[in-house]
Amino acid sequence: MQPNESIVVINAGSSSIKFSLYSGAALELTFRGKIENLYSGVTHFAAEDAQENSIGDRRWPDAPLDHAAAMAYLLEFADSHLDGHTVVAVGHRIVHGGVHYSGPQRLDAGVLAKLEQLIPLAPLHLPHNLAPVRAMMALTPDLPQVGCFDTAFHVGQPAEAQSFALPERITAQGVRRYGFHGLSYEYIAASLPQADAALAQARVVAAHLGNGASMCAIDAGRSVASTMGFTAVDGLPMGTRCGALDPGVVLYLIEELGMSVAAVQKMLYQESGLLGVSGIASDMRTLEQSSDPRARAAIDLMVYRIGRELGSLTAALGGLDALVFSGGIGENSASLRAAVCADAAWLGVQLDGVANAASGHGLRRISSASSRVAVWVVPANEELMIAQHTKDLLEPA
Ligand code: ADP
């Protein structure tokens, strides 16, 4: 890539689009930002440069934007802030690649149609990931677009890690464990050896703890097991998602409590997790600041489940050399990290209390010098991973 060429990265959710622009062969961050409150409320656009200075702020008080209108505005904004750069491609974060897409993929109408068939596997995420792709295809048909899948990093997991104990005819229809947050884990797997070369061969459990939360067992840089399964509702309790659940509960809710499938879906995805248990909020900061015992109970349950999954993933790895925290909670909540590490003392985890409590932004080690398991904080950077994949696909080595 030439110094004046740039890649736009899009990470679109149901009501927001995060965007960033990376330039030149080194993929330097040029600007980034977020469009929030799509479809309802007052849509808000905010962008900042690499030094975190605001370079754009706009609101739409009359009517909210949809994905297509937001993408059109973003293109217009990018055009006037490119400063001599040319956008050569757009990379998109896409939650699900199904069984067919195991790596970054150039997107065209045919691929888009195949991805649309996967919507039932990720009904709350995939339609929103695909909406900007469709909008960009209409606005700039000649600009290459690349899809990067959250499932891709997990594709090489051993067969038993990918299987449910269901009849083969169901498995054959793609009902299996996929795993998500793969771009975040891939970034972690790539970053750790830069901090400590020995970690390239290590057995690592990484916890991506944000509004969505999962954990992944990484052996010498490769995913071998993860807590999320067929959909992104499995595994840990999250902001509003329940995490692992006895499937009998779903049957009970429908058969005995008379809930509709739509009501069950809404409950499991939007009304459970930290929000459901606390009855207060899905946001960890709010819960940590609350003196309500229900807030404490919600946090305690999350910590407990992280500990249980840590044991399970360590078993999948046959041991543990490093534990990594990432995502909004993992990067920022020193108290949650301390609680998880205290529970994991049996594995040889020993935190350095001062390093854990110190406010820091970058990749950092927070375990004591004598800890058998190294503990790291790695700030999530799925966007850079997407930019890298997009660049590599456009200019193969
Ligand atoms: P998403 O999964 O939507 O990308 P993030 O990774 O940004 O979400 O994580 C959001 C979560 O991180 C929220 O629960 C938020 O409260 C939590 N968080 C952010 N900053 C802090 C902090 N300083 N202390 C505790 N939790 C925090």
Side-chain angles (χ1 to χ4, degrees), residues 11 16 18 34 93 181 208-213 239 241 274 282-289 326-336 380 382:
N11 180 355
S16 73
K18 290 185 202 160
K34 202 169 177 182
R93 180 178 177 191
H181 287 140
H208 178 103
L209 310 174
N211 285 315
R241 286 174 246 164
L274 294 174
S282 63
D283 191 280
M284 182 57 89
R285 265 169 305 194
T286 310
L287 296 179
E288 285 186 347
Q289 284 156 15
S326 190
I329 298 172
E331 291 162 36
N332 296 301
S333 176
S335 64
L336 180 120
E382 289 122 316

PDB file of all heavy atoms in Angstrom, residues 11 16 18 34 93 181 208-213 239 241 274 282-289 326-336 380 382, ligand 1:
ATOM      1  N   ASN A  11     -17.257  -1.454  11.776  1.00  0.00           N
ATOM      2  CA  ASN A  11     -17.721  -2.439  12.758  1.00  0.00           C
ATOM      3  C   ASN A  11     -19.142  -2.003  13.135  1.00  0.00           C
ATOM      4  O   ASN A  11     -19.324  -1.111  13.946  1.00  0.00           O
ATOM      5  CB  ASN A  11     -16.773  -2.406  13.963  1.00  0.00           C
ATOM      6  CG  ASN A  11     -17.164  -3.394  15.051  1.00  0.00           C
ATOM      7  OD1 ASN A  11     -18.201  -4.059  14.961  1.00  0.00           O
ATOM      8  ND2 ASN A  11     -16.344  -3.477  16.082  1.00  0.00           N
ATOM      9  N   SER A  16     -25.363   1.209  16.116  1.00  0.00           N
ATOM     10  CA  SER A  16     -24.158   2.046  15.999  1.00  0.00           C
ATOM     11  C   SER A  16     -23.220   1.511  14.931  1.00  0.00           C
ATOM     12  O   SER A  16     -23.282   0.323  14.564  1.00  0.00           O
ATOM     13  CB  SER A  16     -23.431   2.121  17.339  1.00  0.00           C
ATOM     14  OG  SER A  16     -22.802   0.886  17.594  1.00  0.00           O
ATOM     15  N   LYS A  18     -19.042   1.723  14.325  1.00  0.00           N
ATOM     16  CA  LYS A  18     -17.705   2.230  14.667  1.00  0.00           C
ATOM     17  C   LYS A  18     -16.897   2.219  13.374  1.00  0.00           C
ATOM     18  O   LYS A  18     -16.995   1.261  12.598  1.00  0.00           O
ATOM     19  CB  LYS A  18     -17.028   1.328  15.698  1.00  0.00           C
ATOM     20  CG  LYS A  18     -17.648   1.393  17.078  1.00  0.00           C
ATOM     21  CD  LYS A  18     -16.815   0.547  18.048  1.00  0.00           C
ATOM     22  CE  LYS A  18     -17.632   0.144  19.251  1.00  0.00           C
ATOM     23  NZ  LYS A  18     -17.111  -1.003  19.970  1.00  0.00           N
ATOM     24  N   LYS A  34     -17.454   7.068  15.783  1.00  0.00           N
ATOM     25  CA  LYS A  34     -18.630   6.241  16.028  1.00  0.00           C
ATOM     26  C   LYS A  34     -19.884   7.013  15.601  1.00  0.00           C
ATOM     27  O   LYS A  34     -19.949   8.236  15.814  1.00  0.00           O
ATOM     28  CB  LYS A  34     -18.697   5.968  17.529  1.00  0.00           C
ATOM     29  CG  LYS A  34     -19.486   4.759  17.911  1.00  0.00           C
ATOM     30  CD  LYS A  34     -19.239   4.454  19.384  1.00  0.00           C
ATOM     31  CE  LYS A  34     -20.083   3.280  19.823  1.00  0.00           C
ATOM     32  NZ  LYS A  34     -19.961   2.931  21.206  1.00  0.00           N
ATOM     33  N   ARG A  93     -16.236  -5.888   9.836  1.00  0.00           N
ATOM     34  CA  ARG A  93     -16.319  -6.958  10.831  1.00  0.00           C
ATOM     35  C   ARG A  93     -17.647  -7.678  10.628  1.00  0.00           C
ATOM     36  O   ARG A  93     -18.707  -7.049  10.641  1.00  0.00           O
ATOM     37  CB  ARG A  93     -16.255  -6.372  12.235  1.00  0.00           C
ATOM     38  CG  ARG A  93     -16.338  -7.442  13.291  1.00  0.00           C
ATOM     39  CD  ARG A  93     -16.225  -6.879  14.674  1.00  0.00           C
ATOM     40  NE  ARG A  93     -16.381  -7.940  15.656  1.00  0.00           N
ATOM     41  CZ  ARG A  93     -16.537  -7.717  16.944  1.00  0.00           C
ATOM     42  NH1 ARG A  93     -16.548  -6.482  17.406  1.00  0.00           N
ATOM     43  NH2 ARG A  93     -16.674  -8.729  17.764  1.00  0.00           N
ATOM     44  N   HIS A 181     -15.735 -13.563  18.685  1.00  0.00           N
ATOM     45  CA  HIS A 181     -14.664 -12.653  19.138  1.00  0.00           C
ATOM     46  C   HIS A 181     -13.309 -13.050  18.555  1.00  0.00           C
ATOM     47  O   HIS A 181     -12.259 -12.741  19.112  1.00  0.00           O
ATOM     48  CB  HIS A 181     -14.549 -12.618  20.679  1.00  0.00           C
ATOM     49  CG  HIS A 181     -15.662 -11.869  21.352  1.00  0.00           C
ATOM     50  ND1 HIS A 181     -16.251 -12.280  22.513  1.00  0.00           N
ATOM     51  CD2 HIS A 181     -16.278 -10.711  21.017  1.00  0.00           C
ATOM     52  CE1 HIS A 181     -17.188 -11.432  22.870  1.00  0.00           C
ATOM     53  NE2 HIS A 181     -17.240 -10.459  21.983  1.00  0.00           N
ATOM     54  N   HIS A 208     -12.111 -12.009  26.604  1.00  0.00           N
ATOM     55  CA  HIS A 208     -12.583 -10.754  26.014  1.00  0.00           C
ATOM     56  C   HIS A 208     -13.869 -10.388  26.746  1.00  0.00           C
ATOM     57  O   HIS A 208     -14.914 -11.013  26.540  1.00  0.00           O
ATOM     58  CB  HIS A 208     -12.836 -10.914  24.507  1.00  0.00           C
ATOM     59  CG  HIS A 208     -13.352  -9.659  23.891  1.00  0.00           C
ATOM     60  ND1 HIS A 208     -12.561  -8.821  23.131  1.00  0.00           N
ATOM     61  CD2 HIS A 208     -14.558  -9.060  23.958  1.00  0.00           C
ATOM     62  CE1 HIS A 208     -13.265  -7.766  22.763  1.00  0.00           C
ATOM     63  NE2 HIS A 208     -14.492  -7.891  23.250  1.00  0.00           N
ATOM     64  N   LEU A 209     -13.773  -9.402  27.628  1.00  0.00           N
ATOM     65  CA  LEU A 209     -14.904  -9.054  28.488  1.00  0.00           C
ATOM     66  C   LEU A 209     -15.388  -7.648  28.167  1.00  0.00           C
ATOM     67  O   LEU A 209     -14.830  -6.653  28.635  1.00  0.00           O
ATOM     68  CB  LEU A 209     -14.473  -9.148  29.965  1.00  0.00           C
ATOM     69  CG  LEU A 209     -13.773 -10.446  30.385  1.00  0.00           C
ATOM     70  CD1 LEU A 209     -13.261 -10.347  31.817  1.00  0.00           C
ATOM     71  CD2 LEU A 209     -14.709 -11.642  30.227  1.00  0.00           C
ATOM     72  N   GLY A 210     -16.416  -7.562  27.332  1.00  0.00           N
ATOM     73  CA  GLY A 210     -17.038  -6.277  27.019  1.00  0.00           C
ATOM     74  C   GLY A 210     -18.527  -6.418  27.250  1.00  0.00           C
ATOM     75  O   GLY A 210     -18.940  -7.170  28.134  1.00  0.00           O
ATOM     76  N   ASN A 211     -19.345  -5.735  26.464  1.00  0.00           N
ATOM     77  CA  ASN A 211     -20.789  -5.993  26.550  1.00  0.00           C
ATOM     78  C   ASN A 211     -21.071  -7.431  26.163  1.00  0.00           C
ATOM     79  O   ASN A 211     -21.877  -8.111  26.776  1.00  0.00           O
ATOM     80  CB  ASN A 211     -21.546  -5.025  25.648  1.00  0.00           C
ATOM     81  CG  ASN A 211     -21.598  -3.646  26.269  1.00  0.00           C
ATOM     82  OD1 ASN A 211     -21.874  -3.507  27.463  1.00  0.00           O
ATOM     83  ND2 ASN A 211     -21.304  -2.626  25.479  1.00  0.00           N
ATOM     84  N   GLY A 212     -20.405  -7.886  25.097  1.00  0.00           N
ATOM     85  CA  GLY A 212     -20.349  -9.309  24.791  1.00  0.00           C
ATOM     86  C   GLY A 212     -19.105  -9.843  25.487  1.00  0.00           C
ATOM     87  O   GLY A 212     -18.119  -9.126  25.588  1.00  0.00           O
ATOM     88  N   ALA A 213     -19.145 -11.080  25.982  1.00  0.00           N
ATOM     89  CA  ALA A 213     -17.973 -11.585  26.699  1.00  0.00           C
ATOM     90  C   ALA A 213     -17.769 -13.055  26.375  1.00  0.00           C
ATOM     91  O   ALA A 213     -18.741 -13.821  26.272  1.00  0.00           O
ATOM     92  CB  ALA A 213     -18.156 -11.405  28.209  1.00  0.00           C
ATOM     93  N   GLY A 239     -23.345  -8.509  29.327  1.00  0.00           N
ATOM     94  CA  GLY A 239     -24.114  -7.333  29.724  1.00  0.00           C
ATOM     95  C   GLY A 239     -25.600  -7.653  29.816  1.00  0.00           C
ATOM     96  O   GLY A 239     -26.234  -7.455  30.862  1.00  0.00           O
ATOM     97  N   ARG A 241     -26.802 -10.703  27.904  1.00  0.00           N
ATOM     98  CA  ARG A 241     -27.005 -12.090  27.453  1.00  0.00           C
ATOM     99  C   ARG A 241     -26.718 -13.054  28.602  1.00  0.00           C
ATOM    100  O   ARG A 241     -25.834 -12.808  29.417  1.00  0.00           O
ATOM    101  CB  ARG A 241     -26.063 -12.405  26.281  1.00  0.00           C
ATOM    102  CG  ARG A 241     -26.489 -11.756  24.988  1.00  0.00           C
ATOM    103  CD  ARG A 241     -25.449 -11.969  23.886  1.00  0.00           C
ATOM    104  NE  ARG A 241     -24.846 -10.711  23.489  1.00  0.00           N
ATOM    105  CZ  ARG A 241     -23.718 -10.592  22.785  1.00  0.00           C
ATOM    106  NH1 ARG A 241     -23.079 -11.667  22.381  1.00  0.00           N
ATOM    107  NH2 ARG A 241     -23.241  -9.400  22.477  1.00  0.00           N
ATOM    108  N   LEU A 274     -25.733  -9.444  33.260  1.00  0.00           N
ATOM    109  CA  LEU A 274     -25.561  -8.479  34.361  1.00  0.00           C
ATOM    110  C   LEU A 274     -26.850  -7.699  34.602  1.00  0.00           C
ATOM    111  O   LEU A 274     -27.241  -7.452  35.744  1.00  0.00           O
ATOM    112  CB  LEU A 274     -24.422  -7.501  34.029  1.00  0.00           C
ATOM    113  CG  LEU A 274     -23.000  -8.086  33.941  1.00  0.00           C
ATOM    114  CD1 LEU A 274     -22.015  -7.024  33.468  1.00  0.00           C
ATOM    115  CD2 LEU A 274     -22.556  -8.666  35.280  1.00  0.00           C
ATOM    116  N   SER A 282     -26.730  -3.075  32.712  1.00  0.00           N
ATOM    117  CA  SER A 282     -25.852  -4.018  32.017  1.00  0.00           C
ATOM    118  C   SER A 282     -24.410  -3.535  32.064  1.00  0.00           C
ATOM    119  O   SER A 282     -23.497  -4.257  31.706  1.00  0.00           O
ATOM    120  CB  SER A 282     -26.289  -4.145  30.554  1.00  0.00           C
ATOM    121  OG  SER A 282     -26.137  -2.894  29.902  1.00  0.00           O
ATOM    122  N   ASP A 283     -24.217  -2.302  32.497  1.00  0.00           N
ATOM    123  CA  ASP A 283     -22.918  -1.644  32.418  1.00  0.00           C
ATOM    124  C   ASP A 283     -22.101  -1.909  33.686  1.00  0.00           C
ATOM    125  O   ASP A 283     -22.542  -1.627  34.799  1.00  0.00           O
ATOM    126  CB  ASP A 283     -23.154  -0.136  32.249  1.00  0.00           C
ATOM    127  CG  ASP A 283     -21.879   0.591  31.883  1.00  0.00           C
ATOM    128  OD1 ASP A 283     -21.072   0.853  32.800  1.00  0.00           O
ATOM    129  OD2 ASP A 283     -21.699   0.879  30.690  1.00  0.00           O
ATOM    130  N   MET A 284     -20.923  -2.460  33.517  1.00  0.00           N
ATOM    131  CA  MET A 284     -20.098  -2.839  34.667  1.00  0.00           C
ATOM    132  C   MET A 284     -19.753  -1.637  35.547  1.00  0.00           C
ATOM    133  O   MET A 284     -19.745  -1.744  36.767  1.00  0.00           O
ATOM    134  CB  MET A 284     -18.828  -3.539  34.163  1.00  0.00           C
ATOM    135  CG  MET A 284     -17.920  -4.014  35.246  1.00  0.00           C
ATOM    136  SD  MET A 284     -18.720  -5.152  36.416  1.00  0.00           S
ATOM    137  CE  MET A 284     -18.428  -6.734  35.660  1.00  0.00           C
ATOM    138  N   ARG A 285     -19.478  -0.484  34.918  1.00  0.00           N
ATOM    139  CA  ARG A 285     -19.128   0.695  35.738  1.00  0.00           C
ATOM    140  C   ARG A 285     -20.253   1.050  36.697  1.00  0.00           C
ATOM    141  O   ARG A 285     -20.039   1.333  37.870  1.00  0.00           O
ATOM    142  CB  ARG A 285     -18.847   1.898  34.831  1.00  0.00           C
ATOM    143  CG  ARG A 285     -17.397   2.069  34.516  1.00  0.00           C
ATOM    144  CD  ARG A 285     -17.213   3.078  33.430  1.00  0.00           C
ATOM    145  NE  ARG A 285     -17.998   2.706  32.248  1.00  0.00           N
ATOM    146  CZ  ARG A 285     -17.847   3.245  31.053  1.00  0.00           C
ATOM    147  NH1 ARG A 285     -16.972   4.195  30.871  1.00  0.00           N
ATOM    148  NH2 ARG A 285     -18.577   2.849  30.036  1.00  0.00           N
ATOM    149  N   THR A 286     -21.492   1.032  36.170  1.00  0.00           N
ATOM    150  CA  THR A 286     -22.647   1.363  37.002  1.00  0.00           C
ATOM    151  C   THR A 286     -22.760   0.368  38.155  1.00  0.00           C
ATOM    152  O   THR A 286     -23.008   0.754  39.301  1.00  0.00           O
ATOM    153  CB  THR A 286     -23.947   1.313  36.163  1.00  0.00           C
ATOM    154  OG1 THR A 286     -23.728   2.074  34.985  1.00  0.00           O
ATOM    155  CG2 THR A 286     -25.143   1.828  36.919  1.00  0.00           C
ATOM    156  N   LEU A 287     -22.568  -0.914  37.861  1.00  0.00           N
ATOM    157  CA  LEU A 287     -22.707  -1.936  38.899  1.00  0.00           C
ATOM    158  C   LEU A 287     -21.611  -1.803  39.950  1.00  0.00           C
ATOM    159  O   LEU A 287     -21.862  -1.946  41.145  1.00  0.00           O
ATOM    160  CB  LEU A 287     -22.685  -3.335  38.277  1.00  0.00           C
ATOM    161  CG  LEU A 287     -23.843  -3.644  37.325  1.00  0.00           C
ATOM    162  CD1 LEU A 287     -23.693  -5.050  36.747  1.00  0.00           C
ATOM    163  CD2 LEU A 287     -25.191  -3.517  38.025  1.00  0.00           C
ATOM    164  N   GLU A 288     -20.398  -1.508  39.497  1.00  0.00           N
ATOM    165  CA  GLU A 288     -19.289  -1.383  40.459  1.00  0.00           C
ATOM    166  C   GLU A 288     -19.498  -0.197  41.392  1.00  0.00           C
ATOM    167  O   GLU A 288     -19.036  -0.201  42.527  1.00  0.00           O
ATOM    168  CB  GLU A 288     -17.951  -1.254  39.716  1.00  0.00           C
ATOM    169  CG  GLU A 288     -17.494  -2.585  39.126  1.00  0.00           C
ATOM    170  CD  GLU A 288     -16.105  -2.526  38.501  1.00  0.00           C
ATOM    171  OE1 GLU A 288     -15.580  -1.417  38.294  1.00  0.00           O
ATOM    172  OE2 GLU A 288     -15.564  -3.607  38.210  1.00  0.00           O
ATOM    173  N   GLN A 289     -20.196   0.827  40.895  1.00  0.00           N
ATOM    174  CA  GLN A 289     -20.415   2.018  41.731  1.00  0.00           C
ATOM    175  C   GLN A 289     -21.650   1.887  42.622  1.00  0.00           C
ATOM    176  O   GLN A 289     -21.885   2.722  43.491  1.00  0.00           O
ATOM    177  CB  GLN A 289     -20.565   3.254  40.828  1.00  0.00           C
ATOM    178  CG  GLN A 289     -19.217   3.726  40.275  1.00  0.00           C
ATOM    179  CD  GLN A 289     -19.360   4.517  38.981  1.00  0.00           C
ATOM    180  OE1 GLN A 289     -20.465   4.947  38.639  1.00  0.00           O
ATOM    181  NE2 GLN A 289     -18.269   4.698  38.271  1.00  0.00           N
ATOM    182  N   SER A 326      -9.020  -8.634  28.203  1.00  0.00           N
ATOM    183  CA  SER A 326      -9.215  -7.655  27.136  1.00  0.00           C
ATOM    184  C   SER A 326     -10.682  -7.224  27.137  1.00  0.00           C
ATOM    185  O   SER A 326     -11.483  -7.722  27.923  1.00  0.00           O
ATOM    186  CB  SER A 326      -8.830  -8.297  25.789  1.00  0.00           C
ATOM    187  OG  SER A 326      -8.787  -7.340  24.770  1.00  0.00           O
ATOM    188  N   GLY A 327     -11.037  -6.271  26.269  1.00  0.00           N
ATOM    189  CA  GLY A 327     -12.409  -5.755  26.222  1.00  0.00           C
ATOM    190  C   GLY A 327     -12.607  -4.685  27.292  1.00  0.00           C
ATOM    191  O   GLY A 327     -11.777  -4.529  28.202  1.00  0.00           O
ATOM    192  N   GLY A 328     -13.696  -3.937  27.194  1.00  0.00           N
ATOM    193  CA  GLY A 328     -13.932  -2.787  28.078  1.00  0.00           C
ATOM    194  C   GLY A 328     -13.816  -3.128  29.560  1.00  0.00           C
ATOM    195  O   GLY A 328     -13.227  -2.369  30.339  1.00  0.00           O
ATOM    196  N   ILE A 329     -14.353  -4.277  29.972  1.00  0.00           N
ATOM    197  CA  ILE A 329     -14.275  -4.672  31.383  1.00  0.00           C
ATOM    198  C   ILE A 329     -12.880  -5.214  31.688  1.00  0.00           C
ATOM    199  O   ILE A 329     -12.246  -4.811  32.667  1.00  0.00           O
ATOM    200  CB  ILE A 329     -15.345  -5.744  31.708  1.00  0.00           C
ATOM    201  CG1 ILE A 329     -16.758  -5.187  31.472  1.00  0.00           C
ATOM    202  CG2 ILE A 329     -15.193  -6.240  33.131  1.00  0.00           C
ATOM    203  CD1 ILE A 329     -17.874  -6.232  31.581  1.00  0.00           C
ATOM    204  N   GLY A 330     -12.395  -6.093  30.842  1.00  0.00           N
ATOM    205  CA  GLY A 330     -11.085  -6.715  31.063  1.00  0.00           C
ATOM    206  C   GLY A 330      -9.952  -5.703  31.116  1.00  0.00           C
ATOM    207  O   GLY A 330      -9.002  -5.847  31.883  1.00  0.00           O
ATOM    208  N   GLU A 331     -10.058  -4.661  30.298  1.00  0.00           N
ATOM    209  CA  GLU A 331      -8.990  -3.656  30.253  1.00  0.00           C
ATOM    210  C   GLU A 331      -9.082  -2.659  31.400  1.00  0.00           C
ATOM    211  O   GLU A 331      -8.072  -2.113  31.836  1.00  0.00           O
ATOM    212  CB  GLU A 331      -9.073  -2.868  28.932  1.00  0.00           C
ATOM    213  CG  GLU A 331      -8.706  -3.700  27.722  1.00  0.00           C
ATOM    214  CD  GLU A 331      -9.207  -3.069  26.439  1.00  0.00           C
ATOM    215  OE1 GLU A 331      -9.212  -1.831  26.326  1.00  0.00           O
ATOM    216  OE2 GLU A 331      -9.619  -3.835  25.539  1.00  0.00           O
ATOM    217  N   ASN A 332     -10.303  -2.407  31.874  1.00  0.00           N
ATOM    218  CA  ASN A 332     -10.495  -1.277  32.797  1.00  0.00           C
ATOM    219  C   ASN A 332     -10.855  -1.629  34.227  1.00  0.00           C
ATOM    220  O   ASN A 332     -10.689  -0.813  35.118  1.00  0.00           O
ATOM    221  CB  ASN A 332     -11.590  -0.348  32.249  1.00  0.00           C
ATOM    222  CG  ASN A 332     -11.178   0.268  30.929  1.00  0.00           C
ATOM    223  OD1 ASN A 332     -10.162   0.942  30.859  1.00  0.00           O
ATOM    224  ND2 ASN A 332     -11.946   0.017  29.874  1.00  0.00           N
ATOM    225  N   SER A 333     -11.416  -2.813  34.446  1.00  0.00           N
ATOM    226  CA  SER A 333     -11.875  -3.107  35.799  1.00  0.00           C
ATOM    227  C   SER A 333     -10.800  -3.861  36.583  1.00  0.00           C
ATOM    228  O   SER A 333     -10.699  -5.101  36.518  1.00  0.00           O
ATOM    229  CB  SER A 333     -13.168  -3.929  35.763  1.00  0.00           C
ATOM    230  OG  SER A 333     -13.522  -4.256  37.087  1.00  0.00           O
ATOM    231  N   ALA A 334     -10.002  -3.101  37.356  1.00  0.00           N
ATOM    232  CA  ALA A 334      -8.947  -3.724  38.166  1.00  0.00           C
ATOM    233  C   ALA A 334      -9.573  -4.642  39.208  1.00  0.00           C
ATOM    234  O   ALA A 334      -9.012  -5.696  39.546  1.00  0.00           O
ATOM    235  CB  ALA A 334      -8.104  -2.645  38.839  1.00  0.00           C
ATOM    236  N   SER A 335     -10.768  -4.292  39.721  1.00  0.00           N
ATOM    237  CA  SER A 335     -11.357  -5.107  40.789  1.00  0.00           C
ATOM    238  C   SER A 335     -11.850  -6.442  40.242  1.00  0.00           C
ATOM    239  O   SER A 335     -11.713  -7.477  40.902  1.00  0.00           O
ATOM    240  CB  SER A 335     -12.469  -4.344  41.509  1.00  0.00           C
ATOM    241  OG  SER A 335     -13.513  -4.080  40.617  1.00  0.00           O
ATOM    242  N   LEU A 336     -12.399  -6.445  39.017  1.00  0.00           N
ATOM    243  CA  LEU A 336     -12.821  -7.721  38.447  1.00  0.00           C
ATOM    244  C   LEU A 336     -11.598  -8.600  38.173  1.00  0.00           C
ATOM    245  O   LEU A 336     -11.599  -9.803  38.468  1.00  0.00           O
ATOM    246  CB  LEU A 336     -13.631  -7.519  37.164  1.00  0.00           C
ATOM    247  CG  LEU A 336     -14.067  -8.866  36.562  1.00  0.00           C
ATOM    248  CD1 LEU A 336     -15.568  -8.973  36.465  1.00  0.00           C
ATOM    249  CD2 LEU A 336     -13.399  -9.144  35.239  1.00  0.00           C
ATOM    250  N   ALA A 380      -8.111  -4.434  23.363  1.00  0.00           N
ATOM    251  CA  ALA A 380      -8.690  -5.028  22.155  1.00  0.00           C
ATOM    252  C   ALA A 380      -8.435  -4.127  20.952  1.00  0.00           C
ATOM    253  O   ALA A 380      -8.480  -2.899  21.059  1.00  0.00           O
ATOM    254  CB  ALA A 380     -10.202  -5.217  22.346  1.00  0.00           C
ATOM    255  N   GLU A 382      -9.660  -5.095  17.361  1.00  0.00           N
ATOM    256  CA  GLU A 382     -10.171  -5.861  16.227  1.00  0.00           C
ATOM    257  C   GLU A 382     -10.027  -5.073  14.933  1.00  0.00           C
ATOM    258  O   GLU A 382      -9.804  -5.632  13.869  1.00  0.00           O
ATOM    259  CB  GLU A 382     -11.655  -6.189  16.439  1.00  0.00           C
ATOM    260  CG  GLU A 382     -11.896  -7.209  17.526  1.00  0.00           C
ATOM    261  CD  GLU A 382     -12.799  -6.715  18.627  1.00  0.00           C
ATOM    262  OE1 GLU A 382     -12.616  -5.561  19.068  1.00  0.00           O
ATOM    263  OE2 GLU A 382     -13.676  -7.485  19.064  1.00  0.00           O
TER     264      GLU A 382
HETATM  265  P1  ADP B   1     -18.492  -3.781  23.396  1.00  0.00           P
HETATM  266  O1  ADP B   1     -18.510  -5.254  23.669  1.00  0.00           O
HETATM  267  O2  ADP B   1     -19.839  -3.203  23.126  1.00  0.00           O
HETATM  268  O3  ADP B   1     -17.400  -3.339  22.428  1.00  0.00           O
HETATM  269  P2  ADP B   1     -16.760  -2.675  25.428  1.00  0.00           P
HETATM  270  O4  ADP B   1     -15.636  -3.596  25.102  1.00  0.00           O
HETATM  271  O5  ADP B   1     -16.578  -1.231  25.194  1.00  0.00           O
HETATM  272  O6  ADP B   1     -18.121  -3.132  24.802  1.00  0.00           O
HETATM  273  O7  ADP B   1     -17.083  -2.897  26.995  1.00  0.00           O
HETATM  274  C1  ADP B   1     -18.127  -2.259  27.618  1.00  0.00           C
HETATM  275  C2  ADP B   1     -18.104  -2.649  29.092  1.00  0.00           C
HETATM  276  O8  ADP B   1     -16.862  -2.204  29.669  1.00  0.00           O
HETATM  277  C3  ADP B   1     -19.218  -2.036  29.914  1.00  0.00           C
HETATM  278  O9  ADP B   1     -19.760  -2.969  30.818  1.00  0.00           O
HETATM  279  C4  ADP B   1     -18.483  -0.958  30.689  1.00  0.00           C
HETATM  280  O10 ADP B   1     -19.095  -0.640  31.909  1.00  0.00           O
HETATM  281  C5  ADP B   1     -17.144  -1.622  30.905  1.00  0.00           C
HETATM  282  N1  ADP B   1     -16.147  -0.623  31.327  1.00  0.00           N
HETATM  283  C6  ADP B   1     -15.633   0.378  30.602  1.00  0.00           C
HETATM  284  N2  ADP B   1     -14.797   1.130  31.370  1.00  0.00           N
HETATM  285  C7  ADP B   1     -14.799   0.578  32.602  1.00  0.00           C
HETATM  286  C8  ADP B   1     -14.154   0.875  33.846  1.00  0.00           C
HETATM  287  N3  ADP B   1     -13.331   1.913  33.963  1.00  0.00           N
HETATM  288  N4  ADP B   1     -14.398   0.071  34.892  1.00  0.00           N
HETATM  289  C9  ADP B   1     -15.227  -0.992  34.789  1.00  0.00           C
HETATM  290  N5  ADP B   1     -15.866  -1.327  33.655  1.00  0.00           N
HETATM  291  C10 ADP B   1     -15.665  -0.566  32.568  1.00  0.00           C
END
